[in-house]
Amino acid sequence: MNEDVQKKVLIVEDNEDIANLLKINFSDSGYITEVCGDGNEALEIAARQKPDLVILDIMLPELDGVEVLKVLRQVRPRGDLAIIMLTAKGDEIDRVLGLELGADDYVVKPFSTRELLLRAKVILDRPVLKQDQEPSMLTHKDISVDLDAYKVMKGDEELIFTATEFRLLVELMRYRGKARSREQLLSSVWGYSFDGYARTVDTHMRRLRQKLGEDADYIETLRGVGYRFKE
Ligand code: MN
């Protein structure tokens, strides 16, 4: 590749043979590659390394590719992060759902690596669309959240959050002054909503508040309802 900056590709695929094949081919083509085999790990790596492209298998252990796609799109719109889904042969539903949820492209297994590389290049070489409708910065008093840099500052101090805590904070700040139920938070932050998972929200909220320190009271607990970020 002749770009000045090497693009980063995250390969999320639980089949080791396919993952290795992709890693070799993308590395040989000049990309910086990272491989992982499950959905939760993919989200952690994506938050940390900010890849330019995610190759995302749909059938994954823990969190499947569609759920991963939903979560990734909440923080990184199309044009900022490219996502190519790997779907099983003839799985029309996955394909349609993937594109509706914001995948840039899809490739049906078994696929030609050469074709996948070409599609990746086409997407990555596209001019970047500026997303002006979405603010890239959320602020409240001394707290500022930079959505592009994935960074939270409290005054001059950077607070280090996990990907989940970060999304939770962003979601609450976006709905400042409005109540968000645990179910709403589950579905928008985790991308799914199952009965009995409400405690997951509380657990992450507790850690988020600990890290906010005395600013924790910006987030109010609404008994029997959920949470609200103060106006
Ligand atoms: Mn798979």
Side-chain angles (χ1 to χ4, degrees):
M1 265 194 343
N2 37 20
E3 273 88 337
D4 302 341
V5 183
Q6 279 185 292
K7 298 264 167 97
K8 287 182 274 186
V9 178
L10 171 59
I11 298 156
V12 188
E13 169 60 79
D14 58 324
N15 178 311
E16 280 184 32
D17 293 336
I18 298 176
N20 287 334
L21 181 72
L22 291 179
K23 183 171 173 57
I24 291 165
N25 279 277
F26 274 87
S27 300
D28 285 353
S29 302
Y31 296 98
I32 299 167
T33 57
E34 182 79 32
V35 170
C36 76
D38 83 72
N40 285 325
E41 202 190 344
L43 291 176
E44 295 294 336
I45 296 175
R48 210 170 51 233
Q49 305 197 338
K50 297 179 73 38
D52 300 287
L53 166 67
V54 176
I55 309 276
L56 187 56
D57 182 30
I58 289 192
M59 294 298 286
L60 291 168
E62 306 295 330
L63 204 58
D64 74 36
V66 171
E67 299 301 332
V68 174
L69 171 66
K70 282 194 219 165
V71 176
L72 287 176
R73 273 291 174 254
Q74 279 174 17
V75 274
R76 297 191 57 194
R78 250 182 151 132
D80 175 35
L81 169 68
I83 300 175
I84 300 179
M85 308 292 285
L86 300 181
T87 73
K89 197 177 178 185
D91 222 333
E92 187 73 10
I93 293 167
D94 286 346
R95 184 176 73 79
V96 172
L97 187 62
L99 293 177
E100 265 179 14
L101 291 172
D104 293 271
D105 206 350
Y106 66 94
V107 170
V108 179
K109 290 180 181 180
F111 55 86
S112 130
T113 310
R114 202 178 114 81
E115 189 194 334
L116 178 55
L117 277 164
L118 280 173
R119 292 207 196 182
K121 188 167 163 39
V122 167
I123 295 168
L124 289 172
D125 288 353
R126 268 191 321 223
V128 177
L129 304 163
K130 263 282 153 229
Q131 304 272 334
D132 290 331
Q133 62 270 45
E134 180 87 58
S136 60
M137 203 76 166
L138 295 167
T139 55
H140 180 78
K141 297 185 179 168
D142 55 335
I143 296 288
S144 63
V145 180
D146 185 332
L147 296 166
D148 291 332
Y150 228 89
K151 205 168 165 180
V152 181
M153 299 295 290
K154 178 178 164 181
D156 296 330
E157 178 201 354
E158 183 177 357
L159 302 180
I160 307 299
F161 289 125
T162 63
T164 302
E165 291 158 1
F166 182 86
R167 290 194 302 272
L168 201 47
L169 179 64
V170 166
E171 179 70 7
L172 287 168
M173 288 183 81
R174 275 185 179 146
Y175 287 86
R176 200 170 311 176
K178 297 200 173 78
R180 299 297 283 160
S181 71
R182 289 178 177 80
E183 289 71 25
Q184 285 171 324
L185 290 170
L186 265 177
S187 105
S188 53
V189 173
W190 280 263
Y192 54 80
S193 178
F194 298 130
D195 287 343
Y197 276 69
R199 289 200 161 266
T200 308
V201 178
D202 297 337
T203 306
H204 285 83
M205 191 66 79
R206 199 152 43 236
R207 290 195 211 119
L208 171 59
R209 280 174 158 158
Q210 272 165 12
K211 292 182 185 178
L212 285 171
E214 73 276 10
D215 288 348
D217 62 4
Y218 293 163
I219 301 171
E220 300 169 287
T221 304
L222 306 170
R223 227 168 249 284
V225 180
Y227 297 92
R228 178 174 59 204
F229 199 96
K230 277 186 187 167
E231 192 95 62

